DNA sequence: TAGTTATATGTACATATATGCATATAAGTT
DNA sequence: AACTTATATGCATATATGTACATATAACTA
C-alpha cells in the first residue's frame, strides 16, 4: 500500500468510536445495522452515521440498504491488504474492551425477525 | 492494548511524515540521528524535532543523546505489543515508497566517523 | 566566557476535525 | 398524498492539528 494511503486510513481509524465500530464489525460475524450500532455504542444516530461515512470514504466499510434499514460490514479488497490491516489492528485491542458492546449486538441480533431489524433504536442519547 | 490507547497511537502515526520516520527506523537497523532525518526527509530541523516529539509522547521512539547529537530508535515495550504493531504497519507500506530515504540514510551512515555523526545537516529546507 | 552547532520548544496562525443540531432523503404505512 | 421511521447530510462552532518562525537549551570549542 502507498504510504500516503496508509496514513489516510490510519487517520480515519484513529478515532476511538470509529476504531470501536471496526472492532465490532470484525468481531461479530454478520452485517450490523445502523440502529444496532446506535444502541450498542450509545451514540446518537447522527454520530453513528457520520462515523460510518468517514469509514466508507476510506473504503473500510460498506453499507447495504434493505428498505429503511442499512446494514454495514467490513469491505473486502482484492488483495485483502486493507482488510488484513484492520483485522490486525482489532486483534491488538483488549477483548474485554468491547465485549459489552458485542453482547449488546448479539442481544439485538437475536431480536431480529427473519434476520432483519424491525424495531429501530431507542430515542435516548 | 486498551482501545483508547491504540486510537491514540494510531493518531500519532497517521501523519505521512511520522509514518515515514517510523518506516525508516524499522527498516534501517541502527539508531538514526536527527540531522540524518533532516537530510533524508528534506524537512527543516524544527519539523523533524516536532514529529519526533509526538512519537516520543506516544512512547514509539526514544532519543539517545550523545554530546550535541541525538540518536533515535524504535522503543521496545515489555510485551512487544506496540513495537509489533508499528512493524506490522510498516510492512504494509510499499517498499519503493521509502527506499530513496533509506538509501540517503545509508549514505549518511557511511559518512559517520566511529559510528557517530560529525557534519550536521545542510542548511537548506 | 564567548561563540558555534545540534536539537528542542513556545507562540502564532491557518486549516482541519469533532460535535451538536436541524433538516433532508429514503422507504415503508395508512 | 400525508405520516412515520430509519438513515444521511449540511451547517455552525469549539477545539485540535499542521506549519512556520523565533528562540531556548544543550554541549562542544576556542
Amino acid at each position: 500500500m502507498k504510504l500516503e494511503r496508509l496514513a489516510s486510513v490510519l487517520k480515519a481509524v484513529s478515532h476511538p468510536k470509529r476504531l470501536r465500530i471496526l472492532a465490532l464489525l470484525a468481531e461479530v460475524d454478520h452485517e450490523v445495522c445502523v440502529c444496532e450500532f446506535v444502541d450498542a455504542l450509545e451514540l446518537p444516530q447522527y454520530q453513528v452515521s457520520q462515523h460510518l461515512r468517514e469509514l466508507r470514504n476510506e473504503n473500510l466499510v460498506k453499507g447495504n440498504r434493505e428498505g429503511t434499514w442499512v446494514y454495514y460490514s467490513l469491505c473486502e479488497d482484492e488483495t485483502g491488504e486493507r482488510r488484513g490491516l484492520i483485522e490486525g489492528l482489532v486483534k491488538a485491542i483488549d477483548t474485554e474492551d468491547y465485549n459489552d458492546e458485542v453482547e449488546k449486538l448479539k442481544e439485538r441480533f437475536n431480536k431480529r425477525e427473519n434476520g432483519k431489524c424491525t424495531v429501530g433504536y431507542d430515542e435516548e442519547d
Side-chain angles (χ1 to χ4, degrees), chain A:
Chain A
M1 194 179 336
K2 298 292 288 178
L3 188 145
E4 300 277 342
R5 174 84 178 97
L6 177 58
S8 176
V9 167
L10 293 176
K11 193 173 197 173
V13 174
S14 70
H15 187 292
K17 297 297 183 187
R18 291 196 287 275
L19 186 54
R20 196 172 292 271
I21 287 173
L22 292 176
L24 294 180
L25 285 176
E27 184 69 18
V28 307
D29 217 31
H30 56 77
E31 295 183 314
V32 177
C33 181
V34 175
C35 68
E36 294 172 322
F37 277 126
V38 170
D39 281 355
L41 300 172
E42 299 186 9
L43 279 182
Q45 174 269 322
Y46 69 82
Q47 277 197 20
V48 171
S49 284
Q50 281 169 344
H51 287 312
L52 287 170
R53 169 171 44 176
E54 289 200 53
L55 295 174
R56 241 172 25 227
N57 288 343
E58 290 293 338
N59 273 296
L60 298 177
V61 305
K62 64 173 189 294
N64 177 24
R65 182 176 281 274
E66 304 212 10
T68 344
W69 287 271
V70 180
Y71 299 88
Y72 279 86
S73 56
L74 294 180
C75 276
E76 302 289 347
D77 48 330
E78 309 93 50
T79 60
E81 224 181 359
R82 242 176 301 134
R83 176 71 179 253
L85 175 71
I86 297 304
E87 289 180 351
L89 292 178
V90 170
K91 282 198 189 103
I93 306 173
D94 290 349
T95 317
E96 69 211 43
D97 234 25
Y98 54 86
N99 243 351
D100 287 359
E101 282 105 338
V102 170
E103 282 311 308
K104 287 187 195 169
L105 285 185
K106 282 185 184 164
E107 284 173 33
R108 218 49 178 62
F109 188 75
N110 290 331
K111 287 178 184 155
R112 288 193 188 179
E113 292 172 27
N114 302 319
K116 296 301 158 191
C117 288
T118 49
V119 297
Y121 47 86
D122 299 341
E123 212 23 89
E124 46 186 346
D125 280 284

